[in-house]
Amino acid sequence: MNRKLTAGMLLLAALLLAGGAFYLGRKTGQHADAAMSSAPGAEGRKVLYWHDPMVPGPRFDQPGKSPFMDMQLVPMYADSATGTGSEGGVKISPAVQQNLGIRYAGVRRVETSSSFDAIGAVQFDERLNAAVQTRVAGYVEGLSVRAPMERVRKGQALATVFAPDWLGPQNEWLALRRSGASPDLVAAARERMRAMSIPAELIRRSEEAGTAQARYVLTAPVDGVVAELGVREGVAVTPGMTLFRIAGLQKVWAVAEIPEAQAVRLGRGQKARAVLQADASESFDGALDEILPEINTATRTLKARFEVDNRAGKLTPGMLLRLQVAGPAASRLVVPSEAVIRTGKRAVVIVRRADGAFEPRDVSLGADAGDDTEVVSGLAEGEQVVASGQFLIDSEARLRSVLGSMAAPASASQAASPAVVLHKAEGRVESVAADGITISHGPVATLLWPSMTMGFSKASRSAFADIKPGDSVRFEFKEGGPMGYELVSVQRVQPARKP
């Protein structure tokens, strides 16, 4: 006996000792008809594959002798794969389930949140920026702030500018006042000074001193830092020239790279908590301000801009923040991720029905939640699925009979319930148990079985009470029962005398 045959015999022995065999929970007449017509080339029927009916898992492309049993491989025809509706499912004896270590898990509803962490870099909030410009030609006589990134307060002096062009309008206005000119002329001269952007403070000083003033002080319009210093002391300035750019620090931006799959669940105004990367004890409140309409095609991420409160002034541009984004809570159906069989084109789970049968079912999946996976459709809360050992459930029954991936629609004639088919054999009783009888029997022509030893179920514990181990019997059986086949009748016979 070669190595393959030995391995096959060991596998068969393990299945028999487990107390049962896999079987298709479908109409038994169709199964028998397929077995009866399984001869190669039967009336030109299309053969899907060849298999060993005693070891139904492996499939073969060509006919020949089984590597597991001393018998020929049996063809599976395309038309015999139909009519095995999902109402039958697949049944496995409890003993086999225990030996295979099959575990179950319930489909449950949980409250989940799309919360996640991200790392963001601090930037200036550009909406708080303020530009300090001059609207007249002149030159800078003195600088009070001489370096970029220097902190300033609102109203703080920045620079002193001398503007000679403002002397003429002021002298004209003062002369009209002293000459007693009409109020209309004085008002017109004053409006001219306003049109030339002469500060009101400078006009007031000219009025108090009685002489034109050409020197004025530029002050910071907001609290912040000097993000841009555009002049030096003594340089000439022109109208519209930006001398300083003040960046406010009351609020800052934290810009983070967010994965595309998570960014689609974010909404403007969503709350976040920012923790200083260098010091976890420092935290700040924030909110999502904007998801920038730009995606990094290499990393599949989008930039999200969070507005973070910085009234304490502890955050400066360039710092790193760990953003804890709180997503909206939702009620979702989940199953253990290990229960999902992903075939590449679809996702399948094995469902345990109320009658004990197993049914493969297509499902639509959502997001992963730790060790669980969200199920969008295909399952209902409270159903049981196989979480471990699902690959050991009869693949032939799962793919051919229940999923029907290779089958054509059943005809109306196939939908009719056929009569129960009985199979006959003779053999010797090896053991008798409460739930079944183990018999070493000869070939079974209707199933193309060779001689073997296997267990048969009993319809009741009291059935065939007179049968004892060692008896020679003639028996009839059918498909069904926990062990796959159930005894219908057992008759004790006298063994043939040796000459």
Side-chain angles (χ1 to χ4, degrees):
M1 183 178 295
N2 57 36
R3 186 176 301 175
K4 289 186 177 180
L5 184 58
T6 303
M9 296 299 291
L10 290 175
L11 176 61
L12 176 61
L15 290 173
L16 292 174
L17 290 176
F22 301 116
Y23 78 99
L24 295 176
R26 56 175 183 155
K27 301 174 179 65
T28 56
Q30 293 173 354
H31 179 82
D33 292 341
M36 292 288 290
S37 60
S38 60
E43 299 179 359
R45 298 165 68 190
K46 180 180 178 181
V47 178
L48 297 178
Y49 56 87
W50 282 262
H51 71 130
D52 187 332
M54 301 309 298
V55 186
R59 300 180 180 185
F60 303 90
D61 297 332
Q62 300 293 332
K65 194 170 184 179
S66 170
F68 310 111
M69 303 294 296
D70 187 14
M71 61 183 295
Q72 293 295 317
L73 296 174
V74 177
M76 176 55 63
Y77 297 105
D79 55 359
S80 67
T82 62
T84 59
S86 60
E87 70 276 1
V90 179
K91 290 188 176 180
I92 304 175
S93 66
V96 173
Q97 293 183 38
Q98 183 177 3
N99 289 334
L100 295 180
I102 295 178
R103 293 188 293 106
Y104 309 101
V107 181
R108 64 191 189 280
R109 186 173 296 278
V110 298
E111 296 292 330
T112 61
S113 174
S114 55
S115 301
F116 64 93
D117 290 354
I119 300 297
V122 176
Q123 298 180 7
F124 287 123
D125 187 343
E126 295 184 7
R127 294 171 299 187
L128 302 180
N129 287 358
V132 180
Q133 297 179 328
T134 176
R135 299 183 181 181
V136 65
Y139 60 90
V140 178
E141 285 190 338
L143 276 178
S144 302
V145 177
R146 296 175 175 271
M149 304 308 294
E150 189 172 333
R151 289 181 179 268
V152 295
R153 295 290 182 183
K154 183 178 181 179
Q156 179 180 335
L158 301 176
T160 301
V161 178
F162 180 76
D165 292 347
W166 284 352
L167 292 175
Q170 292 183 67
N171 285 328
E172 182 182 350
W173 173 66
L174 291 173
L176 289 173
R177 284 171 56 89
R178 286 193 296 265
S179 65
S182 66
D184 291 339
L185 290 176
V186 175
R190 191 178 185 92
E191 288 299 323
R192 182 187 175 193
M193 291 188 295
R194 290 178 180 173
M196 295 183 67
S197 300
I198 300 177
E201 176 63 21
L202 196 63
I203 297 175
R204 186 185 63 78
R205 284 170 25 208
S206 298
E207 185 177 7
E208 291 177 354
T211 58
Q213 303 291 321
R215 293 176 178 83
Y216 69 99
V217 177
L218 294 174
T219 58
V222 294
D223 294 340
V225 297
V226 179
E228 181 181 335
L229 178 60
V231 294
R232 290 299 175 183
E233 192 171 295
V235 301
V237 295
T238 57
M241 180 178 178
T242 299
L243 307 184
F244 303 90
R245 185 168 63 86
I246 310 297
L249 285 176
Q250 293 83 6
K251 293 181 180 179
V252 294
W253 285 339
V255 180
E257 297 278 348
I258 305 297
E260 181 181 5
Q262 295 174 335
V264 296
R265 296 186 175 89
L266 296 179
R268 192 171 184 177
Q270 196 165 333
K271 299 299 182 183
R273 187 164 185 81
V275 179
L276 199 61
Q277 185 77 354
D279 186 1
S281 63
E282 295 287 347
S283 61
F284 310 86
D285 294 329
L288 178 62
D289 179 67
E290 195 73 51
I291 297 180
L292 306 186
E294 177 185 4
I295 190 168
N296 187 329
T297 56
T299 60
R300 306 307 304 176
T301 57
L302 290 90
K303 287 186 177 180
R305 192 164 60 198
F306 294 86
E307 187 180 79
V308 181
D309 184 18
N310 188 37
R311 283 175 289 185
K314 295 183 178 181
L315 298 178
T316 57
M319 284 185 171
L320 291 180
L321 295 177
R322 187 171 69 253
L323 299 165
Q324 300 170 350
V325 185
S331 178
R332 303 179 185 182
L333 285 178
V334 298
V335 296
S337 299
E338 61 180 343
V340 181
I341 304 173
R342 291 177 170 87
T343 65
K345 294 183 178 180
R346 59 182 177 178
V348 180
V349 297
I350 306 297
V351 180
R352 185 188 188 191
R353 301 192 322 215
D355 60 358
F358 296 92
E359 172 190 353
R361 190 179 301 175
D362 288 355
V363 294
S364 298
L365 303 180
D368 290 337
D371 295 333
D372 297 326
T373 299
E374 178 188 2
V375 178
V376 179
S377 62
L379 293 174
E381 184 179 1
E383 288 188 301
Q384 279 195 328
V385 297
V386 179
S388 176
Q390 63 268 44
F391 289 101
L392 299 176
I393 296 177
D394 189 2
S395 59
E396 179 179 326
R398 175 168 55 84
L399 296 176
R400 175 172 57 84
S401 302
V402 185
L403 291 180
S405 59
M406 303 173 62
S411 62
S413 61
Q414 289 174 326
S417 298
V420 175
V421 177
L422 298 181
H423 309 283
K424 300 179 180 180
E426 294 185 4
R428 180 176 180 275
V429 176
E430 299 294 339
S431 63
V432 178
D435 57 348
I437 300 176
T438 301
I439 303 175
S440 296
H441 61 81
V444 181
T446 55
L447 292 175
L448 299 181
W449 282 3
S451 300
M452 66 180 73
T453 301
M454 63 179 293
F456 297 88
S457 303
K458 297 195 301 185
S460 64
R461 299 174 66 89
S462 59
F464 317 119
D466 57 333
I467 300 300
K468 302 293 187 294
D471 290 347
S472 296
V473 294
R474 181 182 296 113
F475 61 97
E476 294 180 331
F477 63 95
K478 64 179 181 179
E479 292 188 38
M483 298 183 182
Y485 293 93
E486 184 178 290
L487 293 170
V488 176
S489 65
V490 181
Q491 298 179 353
R492 188 184 294 108
V493 295
Q494 293 296 329
R497 294 183 180 179
K498 296 182 181 181

